[in-house]
Amino acid sequence: MTNVLQQYFPAIRTQEAIIEEIAGSDRLLNVWKNWNEDQQREFLNFCTGVKGIKVLYDSFFKEIMDPDTAPERLEELLSLILGESIKILKTLPNDSTRIADESSLVIMDIVIELEDHSIANVEVQKLGYKFPGQRAACYSADLLLRQYKRIKGEKGKTFSYRDIKKVYTIIFYEHSPAEFRKFPEDFIHRSSQKTDTAVKIDLLQEFVFIPLDNFRGILHNKGIRNKLDAWLTFLSVDEPEIIVKLMQKYPQFQKYYEEIYQLCRNTEKVMGMFSKELQELDRNTVQYMIDEMQDVIDAQQEDISKKQDVI
């Protein structure tokens, strides 16, 4: 008996076929044995359609939402998020000295230049920090500075600060920080800098925070209500029954899932992608624990300092 997704996607293979292929290759078998049972089960579940694929994993997202080969997909998503028509001009390389490299808990990030030469940085974070605003501000400032250096270098003496265009920082949280959980009925938070008077100053930096755990709670209660809901469902939900509802209401997503399951037929490539995600998540989890421990140490040092003052 086929599962729900196998009925929609004939490309999905059985668990037996996948395990047989892995067992027939020493290279794949070594990779498989390095995974624990939960990881093996997760891999088989999404390859066989028992569960949907986590589209927000870096490798899968960039395969399906590649702004170079299928820009219209990311353009539509960003247009819905930003509330204006978006056209992608080109993808920008991530700077090797980028602030985010220090320890970001990032699953995926992509930087693009838009048609009006503004820049959008799309990031996904697995674990939200307690104070996400500070980190987002650093990302934004980093991109703004990179743009300033690039344009000033290109224009030389003709450079004007009015040549600098807007920078959008768009962050998806799989597990959002506490700040966002205080607003369970809101799944998108837009922020820009404004004065306390009517004067309009273009301060260039805009932010969008999307706590996907909040969205999933709303989705289960209210269903898919519009196109933005549809996109966020595609990005963040792996329950087959909801995926079927998404495809029935918005058929365009069936094509995207079909591409994913065609990709899953290349076992070696998908195992490599999955291993990369596991390594990144392990690194991020360790960094998160270090950061949490540092918070405890800082709090203890502050307490000791207060007691010393009393003494």
Side-chain angles (χ1 to χ4, degrees):
M1 182 178 178
T2 58
N3 60 37
V4 173
L5 293 179
Q6 279 179 325
Q7 297 175 41
Y8 285 84
F9 305 105
I12 292 178
R13 294 182 296 166
T14 64
Q15 177 173 305
E16 292 74 19
I18 295 171
I19 291 177
E20 183 180 354
E21 181 180 353
I22 293 172
S25 166
D26 291 339
R27 183 171 59 256
L28 298 184
L29 192 58
N30 285 334
V31 174
W32 176 262
K33 288 179 177 178
N34 282 327
W35 298 344
N36 62 42
E37 288 186 12
D38 288 340
Q39 292 165 344
Q40 292 173 352
R41 188 180 305 110
E42 181 179 357
F43 177 80
L44 289 174
N45 280 348
F46 71 67
C47 280
T48 60
V50 172
K51 296 189 75 173
I53 288 178
K54 295 183 184 298
V55 178
L56 281 180
Y57 276 174
D58 180 88
S59 300
F60 293 117
F61 185 93
K62 288 177 179 174
E63 283 280 345
I64 303 304
M65 303 290 288
D66 188 344
D68 292 321
T69 60
E72 70 281 355
R73 299 176 184 180
L74 193 54
E75 286 171 350
E76 181 176 67
L77 174 60
L78 294 181
S79 295
L80 292 166
I81 290 172
L82 298 175
E84 58 184 90
S85 179
I86 296 296
K87 290 293 180 183
I88 295 172
L89 186 63
K90 61 183 176 181
T91 305
L92 299 177
N94 283 336
D95 194 325
S96 60
T97 61
R98 189 169 179 272
I99 286 174
D101 287 343
E102 61 189 33
S103 59
S104 64
L105 297 186
V106 166
I107 300 176
M108 176 277 294
D109 71 307
I110 189 167
V111 181
I112 49 179
E113 183 177 349
L114 307 182
E115 192 174 40
D116 64 355
H117 300 291
S118 59
I119 294 175
N121 176 28
V122 183
E123 304 228 6
V124 179
Q125 295 204 19
K126 180 73 175 177
L127 300 171
Y129 275 95
K130 295 176 182 176
F131 305 101
Q134 290 88 333
R135 197 172 208 103
C138 289
Y139 289 0
S140 177
D142 182 41
L143 281 179
L144 199 60
L145 182 59
R146 285 171 54 190
Q147 183 188 179
Y148 161 76
K149 288 179 178 178
R150 174 173 56 83
I151 294 177
K152 189 173 183 181
E154 292 171 352
K155 297 214 167 191
K157 293 182 179 180
T158 65
F159 169 79
S160 164
Y161 279 99
R162 296 189 183 277
D163 295 326
I164 305 296
K165 303 299 180 183
K166 194 165 290 186
V167 170
Y168 299 95
T169 302
I170 301 165
I171 301 180
F172 294 89
Y173 291 101
E174 281 209 328
H175 302 283
S176 61
E179 291 92 329
F180 298 114
R181 293 197 296 275
K182 294 176 183 177
F183 301 86
E185 296 303 314
D186 298 302
F187 63 86
I188 186 162
H189 303 263
R190 299 178 179 89
S191 171
S192 60
Q193 298 164 306
K194 297 180 180 179
T195 66
D196 60 353
T197 64
V199 64
K200 293 184 178 180
I201 305 174
D202 190 359
L203 296 175
L204 299 177
Q205 294 168 283
E206 295 196 12
F207 303 85
V208 183
F209 301 95
I210 304 175
L212 291 170
D213 42 4
N214 283 11
F215 169 74
R216 288 190 293 270
I218 295 169
L219 174 68
H220 283 289
N221 291 328
K222 299 183 179 180
I224 302 170
R225 299 162 297 178
N226 52 48
K227 198 61 170 292
L228 179 56
D229 281 4
W231 269 107
L232 298 184
T233 299
F234 174 68
L235 294 178
S236 66
V237 173
D238 63 1
E239 293 127 293
E241 294 76 14
I242 297 179
I243 290 173
V244 169
K245 290 179 181 177
L246 169 63
M247 294 187 299
Q248 290 173 342
K249 194 164 186 178
Y250 293 95
Q252 75 183 75
F253 291 97
Q254 184 161 348
K255 180 179 186 299
Y256 308 159
Y257 284 115
E258 180 67 44
E259 292 179 21
I260 290 173
Y261 288 115
Q262 286 292 342
L263 177 64
C264 285
R265 295 187 69 84
N266 186 336
T267 305
E268 182 174 0
K269 181 175 182 178
V270 175
M271 288 184 75
M273 292 164 62
F274 187 60
S275 291
K276 176 185 173 184
E277 302 300 339
L278 293 178
Q279 291 168 2
E280 188 66 20
L281 290 174
D282 284 345
R283 184 185 72 82
N284 288 343
T285 300
V286 168
Q287 184 60 50
Y288 178 75
M289 293 172 65
I290 291 172
D291 288 350
E292 288 290 285
M293 188 178 296
Q294 187 62 52
D295 287 345
V296 172
I297 293 171
D298 290 345
Q300 290 174 340
Q301 288 178 336
E302 183 178 355
D303 184 52
I304 291 171
S305 178
K306 288 180 179 178
K307 288 179 180 178
Q308 288 176 334
D309 289 343
V310 171
I311 292 172

